[in-house]
C-alpha cells in the first residue's frame, strides 16, 4: 500500500504542491483522488526534502486543498504492452477508449525510454516509396528517418499524411509493418478522418492509436507522444516490425509544455517556450531510427502547424534542427488548387543520399533531383522578375525556365490523392520536364546520364 | 569516501547538503544508482550538482558520494578510432555490455585496460627530462604514432625505462625528481577537462588548413591553429560542411564533437569513416579520428561537458606536435545546455535567457585553439584548429551565441538559406563570409600554390561583389540597360559560382579538389574572362562569345581527374576557341 498524503498546500494551473512528503523520487507517477473519489494522474516535476511539485495530466479543475489525497506510486509512468496492442485505440494517457479490455501486459515499459546508443544505430538507407512525386523524387524518405510536415492551419496535411500511410512501401519487399498514430489536441473531425481512412484501407488492423482530442486535458498531451513511441519501440525492436509513427500536432504538444513551464514560473526562452524545448523535443524525435542487427525500424512523420506560417517560430525551428529534413506545405500552391501543395524548394530530406541511386531507385536519381531543384529555383526567380518587369523583359532562356516552373508545379507536384506513382514514373516525369530546356543548361547531370536519358526513348 | 545527502531534485540539477569541503567542479556519484555529476555551485554546506545522466527515480535522502577529483579525461593509447559519450565513456564498450540503449550509472574506463601496446623508448637511463618531453612511442594506428610524454611536473632524471608490450596502467618509466621523489609513469595521463593544457609559447598562424573545399580554400581560408565558425539555419548544410572538413582537411588528427545533434549523423560518421581513405596516406580516416557523441536525446549536462572533453583530447595530440582539427557541432546546443542548467539554478538571465557568462565561456573555449610551441625541451610545433557550427534560431545572426562567437573567431563561413534552397552547396554566402587569415597566409600560398593565386582569388571576390551590384541595377531597369562588359561580368561571376564555388560533396571526384586544381580551375575561368574582354574590345559579338562551346568544358572541369595535363588542356582550348571568332 502506498502512503496517502493530505498535505496539498498549493494548486497553480496544472501543478499541485504537496508538503511533508517522504521518500518521493523525481519523475515518479502520482495518483490524486479528489473529494468525490475521482482519480487523476500526474508526475513529479521537482522534489525537495519536504515538498514535491506534481503536474496533473487531467488538469486541476475541481481539486481542493484540504480533501485531495495524493499517492506516490514509486515508479515512473509505464505502458503495458503485448502483441495484443495492435489494432487498439487508447486515450492520451494510455487507457483503452475502444471499449476493449485492458492490455494484459507481457511487459511494462517506462514511457520515457532510454536514448539509443549512437554506436548501435544503423544508418537509414532503404528508400520508402510514398507514391508522391514531390517527396519520392525531390525529398525521398528512407526507413528510420524522421521527416516532419510543416503545415499551416487550413492546409491539407491530414490528407497527405494519410496518403503516405496508405501508399508507403519499400520496393520489392513484403514485411511486417504497423502504423502508430498519436493525436495531440486535434479536433474530433480530424482524428475521425484518420480513423476512417485507416479503416477503409484495412490499415486499422495494423495500427495503434493514442488519441488526446482538443477537448481533453492539455497536460495529458505531454505523455501521449511518449506512449506512442514506447509502443513503436516495442513493435519495432522486439516484434521486428517496420513502424510508421505519425504525430499530430506537435504545436499543441509544445503549447502544453509551455503551460507547465509558465505555471512553474520558469525563465522563458523565445516566445514564452521553455529553454529546454529543444532537448524535450529531441528526446522524442530521436527515438526514430534503426538499430544494427534488428529487423524492425521506426520512421517518424511528426506534423506541426506553423503559427502564421512562420518557419522561424520556435516549434518548427527547433524541430527542423532535430529532424532529418522537413516537408513544407505552401499556402500559395494550395490557393492555386495544387494538391499536394508541397513547397519543394525549402523542403529537404537529409538522408536521401544513401537511399537513392543505382540498385535503390535509379542511377540518375540524385542528378535529376539536383537539376530539377536548380531549374525550378531559376524558374521561380524568372517568375518574380516577370512580375516586376513583365514577361517581355525576360530573355528567351528565362522564359523557358518560367514555363518549366509552371509545368513543374502543375504536372510534377500536382497529383491525385489516390494516385501512387512509382519512382520510375516520377523520374521519367522529371526528364520529360527537363527536355523543355536546352541540353547544355543541365549542368548538374553527369554527361553519361544526359547521353542516356535526355533524348526520349 | 565522504558522502552528502540529496535535498532537492529538479531535472538534471540536484542539490545536496552536508557537502562541506567539496570543491567546485569536483565529480560526484549521485543517488543509489551512482549517477555521474559535477559540482557547479557551492553554498555553505550545499552543493549544486549537474548530473550527466537522467535523474528519474532519484529522490531526497539518497547519498551523494564525493570523489574529490575534478571531471577528467584519460589520455593515452586507445583514444584514436574511439567513439565516446560526453564524459569519455566508450559507447562501443557500453553497447557490448549493456545493449542498444544507454542505461544509467554505467562505469567504464575510457581506455582499454587489457590491451597491450608496444612501447619503444627514445630516452635512456640517466637522461634528464622536462615536463612534456617525449620518452617513447606507441604505434597506435598505422597512421599515427602516439608519443608518450612526461606529465606536468615530471621533470627529473630517468632512473628506469622499459621496452616491450604494456597495458596502459603498467609502469614503463621511473623518474627521480630533484626533490628525490620518484615518479612512476605509465602509458596514460589524467587531465581535468576544464583546465587548459600548458604550452611553451604561442605562435601566429601562417599555414592554411587545406580542406579541398574550393570556396573555403580559395576565398575564405582557415589557418592551421585558427578558429572558424559556421552559422546557419537548419537545412543549410552545416553538418555536411563539418563532415567534409573532418573527411578531407589535411590535419593529422580529427576530433569530432557531435554535441546535441542527430544520432543518425553520428551513425553516418561511424559507418563512412572506416571506408573513407585519407587522401594523403590511403589509410582509413577512422585511424586518425576521435568521435565524441552526445546526441540531442542524451542527457543535457553531459552535452555541456562534451566540448571540453573533445578539446582536452585535441590539446593532448597537439602537445605531441601534431596538427589537430576539432569540429564542434553545434555550439548552440552547448549554449542551450548552459542556459538550461542556469535556469534551474535560478540565475539571473542575460540575452534570450542565456546566462551572463555565455560570451566569456565561448571565448575561453575558442582561445584554446592556436599554433604553439609545445611544452618540453624539444622544439615541437603543434596546431589546434577549431571549427564551431552555430545553429541560430530561425537562422537569425543576431542570436547571442552567433554574436559572442563572432567576437572571437577569425573566419566566418555564413551559410545561406536561399542558396541551400537553390541546392547551391556548400551554401556559403560569398558576400557575407570573411577570413581574417587571408593576409597572414599570403606568403605561404604564393610559395606553395602559385605566385598569382592570391591575386586570382581577389579578382574572383571582386567580380562576385560587382555581380551583386549589377544584379541590383538589372533588377530595377532591366538587363538590357547594362553594357556588354558589364554583362560579361555577370556571366563570369555566374561561372565562378556555378562552375567553381558549387561543389558536390557526394560526387566522388568533386568532393575533394587539390589546391593545384583549384588554382587551375579558377585561372581558366578568369582567363576566359580576360580573353572575352579583349574580344569585346576588338569588336566581337557578345552573344558569340558567351555561346562558345568551351564554356561547357569549363563547367565540367570540376569532374576532371587531378592531372596537370588534362586541366591545362582546357585553358588551351579557351585560347583556341577565341581564334574561331
Amino acid at each position: 500500500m502506498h502512503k496517502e498524503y493530505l498535505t496539498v498546500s498549493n494548486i497553480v494551473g496544472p501543478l499541485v504542491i504537496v508538503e511533508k512528503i517522504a521518500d518521493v523520487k523525481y519523475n515518479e507517477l502520482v495518483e490524486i483522488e479528489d473529494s468525490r473519489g475521482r482519480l487523476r494522474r500526474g508526475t513529479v516535476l521537482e522534489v525537495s526534502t519536504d515538498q514535491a511539485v506534481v503536474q496533473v495530466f487531467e488538469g486541476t479543475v475541481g481539486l481542493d486543498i484540504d480533501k485531495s489525497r495524493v499517492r506516490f506510486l514509486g515508479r515512473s509512468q509505464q505502458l503495458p504492452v503485448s502483441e495484443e496492442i495492435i489494432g487498439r485505440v487508447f486515450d492520451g494517457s494510455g487507457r483503452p477508449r475502444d471499449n476493449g479490455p485492458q492490455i494484459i501486459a507481457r511487459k511494462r515499459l517506462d514511457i520515457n525510454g532510454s536514448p539509443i546508443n549512437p554506436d548501435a544505430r544503423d544508418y537509414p538507407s532503404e528508400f520508402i516509396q510514398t507514391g508522391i512525386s514531390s517527396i519520392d523524387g525531390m525529398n525521398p524518405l528512407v526507413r528510420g528517418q524522421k521527416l516532419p510536415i510543416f503545415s499551416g492551419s487550413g492546409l491539407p496535411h491530414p490528407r497527405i499524411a494519410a496518403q503516405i500511410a496508405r501508399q508507403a512501401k519499400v520496393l520489392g519487399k513484403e514485411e511486417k509493418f504497423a502504423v502508430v498514430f498519436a493525436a495531440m489536441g486535434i479536433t474530433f473531425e480530424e482524428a475521425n478522418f484518420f480513423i476512417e481512412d485507416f479503416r477503409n484501407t484495412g490499415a486499422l488492423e495494423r495500427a495503434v492509436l493514442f488519441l488526446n482530442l482538443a477537448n481533453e486535458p492539455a497536460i495529458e498531451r505531454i505523455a501521449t507522444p511518449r506512449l506512442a513511441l514506447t509502443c513503436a519501440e516495442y513493435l519495432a525492436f522486439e516484434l521486428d516490425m517496420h513502424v510508421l509513427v505519425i504525430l499530430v500536432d506537435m504545436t499543441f504538444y509544445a503549447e502544453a509544455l509551455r503551460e507547465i513551464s509558465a505555471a512553474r514560473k520558469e525563465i522563458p526562452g523565445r516566445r514564452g517556450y521553455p529553454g529546454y524545448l529543444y532537448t524535450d523535443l529531441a528526446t522524442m524525435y530521436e527515438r526514430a531510427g534503426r538499430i544494427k542487427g534488428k529487423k524492425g525500424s521506426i520512421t517518424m512523420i511528426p506534423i506541426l502547424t506553423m503559427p502564421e506560417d512562420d518557419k522561424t517560430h520556435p516549434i518548427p525551428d527547433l524541430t527542423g534542427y532535430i529532424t532529418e529534413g522537413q516537408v513544407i506545405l505552401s499556402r500559395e500552391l494550395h490557393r492555386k488548387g495544387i494538391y499536394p501543395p508541397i513547397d519543394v524548394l525549402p523542403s529537404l530530406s537529409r538522408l536521401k543520399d544513401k537511399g537513392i541511386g543505382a540498385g535503390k531507385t535509379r542511377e540518375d536519381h540524385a542528378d535529376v533531383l539536383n537539376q530539377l531543384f536548380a531549374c525550378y529555383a531559376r524558374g521561380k526567380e524568372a517568375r518574380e522578375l516577370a512580375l516586376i518587369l513583365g514577361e517581355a523583359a525576360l530573355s528567351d532562356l528565362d522564359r523557358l525556365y518560367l514555363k518549366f516552373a509552371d509545368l513543374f508545379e502543375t504536372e510534377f507536384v500536382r497529383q491525385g490523392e489516390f494516385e501512387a506513382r512509382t519512382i520510375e514514373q516520377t523520374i521519367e516525369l522529371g526528364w520529360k520536364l527537363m527536355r523543355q530546356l536546352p541540353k547544355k543548361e543541365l549542368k548538374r547531370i553527369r554527361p553519361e546520364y544526359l547521353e542516356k536519358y535526355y533524348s526520349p526513348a | 569516501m565522504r558522502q552528502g545527502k540529496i535535498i532537492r531534485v529538479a531535472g538534471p540539477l540536484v542539490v545536496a547538503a552536508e557537502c562541506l569541503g567539496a570543491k567546485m567542479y569536483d565529480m560526484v556519484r549521485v543517488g543509489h544508482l551512482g549517477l555521474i555529476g559535477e559540482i557547479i555551485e557551492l553554498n555553505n554546506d550545499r552543493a549544486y550538482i549537474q548530473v550527466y545522466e537522467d535523474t528519474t527515480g532519484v529522490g531526497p535522502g539518497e547519498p551523494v558520494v564525493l570523489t574529490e577529483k575534478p571531471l577528467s579525461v584519460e589520455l593515452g593509447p586507445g583514444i584514436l578510432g574511439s567513439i565516446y559519450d560526453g564524459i569519455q565513456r566508450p559507447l562501443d564498450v557500453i553497447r557490448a555490455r549493456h545493449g542498444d540503449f544507454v542505461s544509467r550509472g554505467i562505469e567504464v574506463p575510457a581506455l582499454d585496460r587489457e590491451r597491450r601496446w608496444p612501447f619503444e623508448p627514445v630516452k635512456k637511463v640517466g637522461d634528464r627530462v622536462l615536463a612534456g618531453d617525449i620518452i617513447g612511442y606507441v604505434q597506435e594506428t598505422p597512421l599515427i604514432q602516439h608519443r608518450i610524454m612526461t606529465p606536468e611536473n615530471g621533470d627529473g632524471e630517468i632512473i628506469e625505462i622499459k621496452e616491450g608490450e604494456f597495458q596502459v596502467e603498467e609502469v614503463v618509466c621511473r623518474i627521480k625528481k630533484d626533490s628525490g621523489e620518484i615518479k612512476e609513469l605509465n602509458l596514460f595521463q589524467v587531465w581535468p577537462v576544464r583546465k587548459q593544457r600548458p604550452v611553451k609559447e604561442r605562435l601566429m598562424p601562417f599555414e592554411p588548413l587545406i580542406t579541398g573545399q574550393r570556396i573555403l580554400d580559395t576565398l575564405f581560408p582557415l589557418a592551421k591553429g585558427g578558429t572558424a565558425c559556421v552559422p546557419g539555419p537548419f537545412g543549410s548544410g552545416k553538418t555536411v560542411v563539418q563532415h567534409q572538413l573532418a573527411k578531407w582537411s589535411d590535419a593529422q588528427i580529427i576530433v569530432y564533437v557531435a554535441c546535441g545533434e542527430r544520432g543518425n549523423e553520428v551513425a553516418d560518421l561511424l559507418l563512412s569513416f572506416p571506408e573513407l581513405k585519407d587522401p594523403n596516406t590511403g589509410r582509413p580516416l577512422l585511424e586518425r579520428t576521435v568521435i565524441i557523441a552526445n546526441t540531442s536525446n542524451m542527457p543535457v549536462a553531459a552535452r555541456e561537458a562534451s566540448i571540453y572533453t573533445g578539446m582536452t583530447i585535441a590539446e593532448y595530440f597537439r602537445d605531441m606536435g601534431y596538427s589537430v582539427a576539432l569540429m564542434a557541432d553545434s555550439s548552440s546546443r552547448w549554449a542551450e545546455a548552459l542556459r538550461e542548467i542556469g535556469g534551474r539554478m535560478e540565475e539571473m538571465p542575460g540575452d534570450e535567457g542565456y546566462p551572463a557568462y555565455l560570451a566569456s565561456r565561448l571565448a575561453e573555449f575558442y582561445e584554446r585553439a592556436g599554433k604553439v610551441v609545445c611544452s618540453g625541451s624539444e622544439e615541437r610545433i603543434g596546431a589546434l584548429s577549431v571549427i564551431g557550427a552555430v545553429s541560430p534560431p530561425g537562422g537569425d545572426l543576431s542570436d547571442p551565441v552567433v554574436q559572442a562567437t563572432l567576437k572571437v573567431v577569425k573566419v566566418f563561413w555564413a551559410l545561406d538559406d536561399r542558396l541551400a534552397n537553390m541546392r547551391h552547396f556548400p551554401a556559403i554566402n560569398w558576400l557575407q563570409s570573411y577570413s581574417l587569415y587571408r593576409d597572414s597566409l599570403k606568403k605561404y600560398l604564393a610559395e606553395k600554390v602559385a605566385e598569382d593565386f592570391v591575386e586570382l582569388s581577389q579578382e574572383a571576390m571582386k567580380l562576385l561583389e560587382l555581380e551583386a551590384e549589377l544584379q541590383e541595377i538589372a533588377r530595377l531597369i532591366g538587363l538590357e540597360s547594362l553594357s556588354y562588359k558589364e554583362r560579361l561580368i555577370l556571366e563570369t561571376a555566374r561561372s565562378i559560382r556555378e562552375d567553381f564555388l558549387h561543389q558536390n560533396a557526394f560526387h566522388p571526384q568533386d568532393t575533394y579538389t587539390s589546391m593545384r586544381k583549384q588554382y587551375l580551375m579558377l585561372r581558366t575561368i578568369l582567363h576566359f574572362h580576360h580573353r572575352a574582354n579583349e574580344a569585346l574590345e576588338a569588336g566581337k559579338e557578345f552573344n558569340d562569345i558567351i555561346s562558345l562551346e568551351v564554356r561547357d568544358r569549363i563547367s565540367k572541369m570540376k569532374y576532371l581527374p587531378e592531372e596537370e595535363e588534362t586541366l591545362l588542356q582546357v585553358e588551351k582550348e579557351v585560347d583556341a576557341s577565341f581564334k574561331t571568332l
Side-chain angles (χ1 to χ4, degrees), chain B residues 170-294:
Chain B
E170 286 180 275
V171 174
V172 295
C173 175
R174 293 197 304 150
I175 290 172
K176 188 175 176 194
K177 301 184 61 159
D178 296 339
S179 59
E181 184 198 337
I182 306 287
K183 203 171 169 74
E184 296 189 327
L185 305 187
N186 49 22
L187 290 180
F188 77 105
Q189 316 182 1
V190 175
W191 192 268
V193 295
R194 294 180 196 278
K195 188 172 151 196
Q196 186 167 357
R197 285 178 62 89
V199 297
K200 196 144 82 186
E201 193 191 336
R202 296 193 53 162
L203 305 171
M204 287 301 285
F206 61 88
E207 194 185 340
L209 182 79
I210 292 166
T211 65
Q213 311 304 304
R214 294 187 291 265
I215 185 164
L216 306 186
D217 290 347
T218 302
L219 297 187
F220 310 108
L222 171 62
K224 286 202 173 96
T227 49
C229 88
V230 202
F234 64 82
S236 56
K238 280 181 302 297
T239 302
V240 178
V241 169
Q242 293 273 42
H243 282 201
Q244 285 296 91
L245 293 177
K247 286 173 188 168
W248 304 119
S249 70
D250 67 343
Q252 291 158 298
I253 306 277
I254 303 288
V255 179
Y256 196 98
V257 186
C259 168
E261 289 287 306
R262 303 177 182 90
N264 279 330
E265 285 171 358
V266 178
D268 181 25
L269 282 178
L270 283 174
L271 295 174
S272 61
F273 269 37
E275 285 164 31
L276 286 167
K277 301 281 185 281
D278 180 8
N280 304 314
T281 57
R283 298 289 314 170
L285 283 175
L286 199 63
E287 292 181 357
R288 61 159 196 180
T289 311
V290 189
I291 298 173
I292 315 284
N294 208 90

Side-chain angles (χ1 to χ4, degrees), chain A residues 156-164 166 193-194 334 339 417:
Chain A
H157 50 267
R159 283 160 64 198
I160 297 173
Q163 189 174 3
I164 295 174
R166 200 161 53 225
F193 166 80
F194 280 103
H334 183 61
Y339 172 88
E417 202 174 330

